[in-house]
Amino acid sequence: MLLSHDQGLTLLDAETGKTLKETKKPGFLRLSNAGDGRHVMVSDADVFRVFDMGISSQPHGDHTHNYTYEPGLAERTFAAPKAGHVVPHAGKVSLFSDGAGTIQTLDADQVGSKTVEPHTAKTKAPHHGVAIALPDGTMVHTEGTKDARKSIVATKNGKEIARTDDCEGVHIDSRNGSLTTVELGSSYWFRSLARGPEGEGLVLTYDGKVNVIDVETGKVTKRIGAIKPWKEKKDWQEPGPAIKVAGDKAYVTDAENKELVVIDLESGKVAKRISLANTPVEMAVVDGVAEAPAHNEAHEGHAH
């Protein structure tokens, strides 16, 4: 587990709470899984950095091989004015530059390579955007300006093949074009959202509870008390709670009390509380297994 704070980065053993490595890097750092189960992308002003978490699990026939490496920031970086969203999907990872409106895409398992160069595409104007590379070579990305974005465009082989210009806030059920709201009884913010191991939605609300949602029915199936009541700060870069999932565990940071809460999603109970030395801002969790493998890779060797 990697945590960012105002002094840099802290690598923790999520099982024991032991600090494995401290990296001095003052400033605001955003963290995103690279998709290969080993690396985390660090958005640092005008560059994407690569943090090697030091673990990897590779399927091999009817079993897996586990490997360990020296953790820390890798030499490889990706220049990107106002480095923004990172989206891993189907063996690829896309890096979006808000300041240039450019998209860099490469194989997720190559993010730590010193030599592989990403494929680069450009949107019509710089904006706070996002992009995702699909298995068939299609690139889906936002279009907009610094003031607004409501367009989603799909391109293939450099040509536009589909678009919508009425997607306010750029959020939809892509299967049928619908949007369903769920009444939670309490507010949340952008670091409050995660998906469980069975695809269930997880939302950490102001009352300190993790709401478990059946995304097919829109029903809340559990409410798990995690942290004390909280409220979003005016400045989104100020420390606040965050939730991430790896395996059957959910991890919740309590910025106000410098604590990490580990939740067993199967039982719906808090399994552990870990005190932190620094006030956490963002969090990334990996377990060595690729979160967004290439097509069919997740089924090789029956490793589902």
Side-chain angles (χ1 to χ4, degrees):
M1 167 183 292
L2 190 65
L3 297 171
S4 68
H5 46 81
D6 61 1
Q7 295 303 307
L9 300 167
T10 298
L11 181 65
L12 284 182
D13 183 322
E15 291 293 323
T16 66
K18 180 182 177 182
T19 297
L20 302 177
K21 189 178 185 67
E22 292 280 8
T23 301
K24 190 79 170 177
K25 196 81 178 60
F28 180 73
L29 304 174
R30 299 205 67 183
L31 306 179
S32 306
N33 287 24
D36 65 345
R38 173 179 170 180
H39 294 94
V40 168
M41 304 304 296
V42 181
S43 303
D44 179 13
D46 294 331
V47 65
F48 287 103
R49 303 187 186 279
V50 181
F51 193 98
D52 190 334
M53 300 287 276
I55 58 173
S56 179
S57 183
Q58 302 295 328
H60 188 264
D62 60 355
H63 61 283
T64 59
H65 289 173
N66 299 314
Y67 303 90
T68 60
Y69 309 88
E70 181 65 28
L73 284 173
E75 294 181 20
R76 185 64 188 267
T77 61
F78 300 88
K82 294 184 179 179
H85 278 296
V86 175
V87 180
H89 181 71
K92 301 285 186 180
V93 61
S94 297
L95 318 176
F96 198 95
S97 165
D98 291 353
T102 53
I103 305 159
Q104 299 179 71
T105 302
L106 68 160
D107 291 341
D109 61 4
Q110 294 295 308
V111 294
S113 168
K114 298 178 182 179
T115 58
V116 174
E117 292 300 323
H119 174 270
T120 301
K122 188 173 179 63
T123 62
K124 290 183 178 179
H127 63 284
H128 178 55
V130 65
I132 180 170
L134 303 184
D136 67 354
T138 299
M139 173 65 71
V140 179
H141 64 83
T142 56
E143 277 191 359
T145 67
K146 65 178 182 178
D147 300 315
R149 59 195 185 282
K150 59 180 182 179
S151 298
I152 299 179
V153 178
T155 61
K156 190 171 184 179
N157 299 324
K159 296 181 179 180
E160 183 177 309
I161 59 174
R163 104 166 9 242
T164 178
D165 297 307
D166 59 357
C167 192
E168 296 291 342
V170 194
H171 292 87
I172 60 170
D173 182 331
S174 59
R175 296 170 300 180
N176 55 32
S178 68
L179 181 68
T180 301
T181 60
V182 179
E183 179 55 55
L184 298 176
S186 184
S187 297
Y188 61 92
W189 74 327
F190 73 100
R191 292 197 186 101
S192 292
L193 310 175
R195 295 296 289 270
E198 303 301 324
E200 65 271 35
L202 304 177
V203 183
L204 176 67
T205 43
Y206 279 11
D207 56 10
K209 295 180 179 179
V210 174
N211 297 262
V212 182
I213 302 172
D214 183 322
V215 296
E216 295 297 330
T217 65
K219 302 294 184 182
V220 177
T221 60
K222 290 180 184 176
R223 285 189 170 93
I224 306 168
I227 64 176
K228 292 180 180 179
W230 58 281
K231 191 174 182 180
E232 181 179 354
K233 304 290 197 311
K234 290 183 179 180
D235 183 351
W236 70 273
Q237 292 190 357
E238 289 189 57
I243 181 170
K244 296 288 183 179
V245 173
D248 61 357
K249 298 291 192 300
Y251 301 89
V252 178
T253 56
D254 184 347
E256 294 289 337
N257 297 288
K258 293 185 180 180
E259 191 174 61
L260 173 69
V261 180
V262 183
I263 297 173
D264 185 314
L265 291 172
E266 186 173 346
S267 68
K269 296 181 179 180
V270 172
K272 188 177 298 185
R273 295 181 183 273
I274 299 170
S275 296
L276 302 173
N278 297 289
T279 301
V281 177
E282 294 217 340
M283 167 176 51
V285 185
V286 302
D287 59 6
V289 179
E291 307 98 345
H295 185 61
N296 288 334
E297 183 179 320
H299 298 281
E300 291 180 3
H302 306 288
H304 295 277

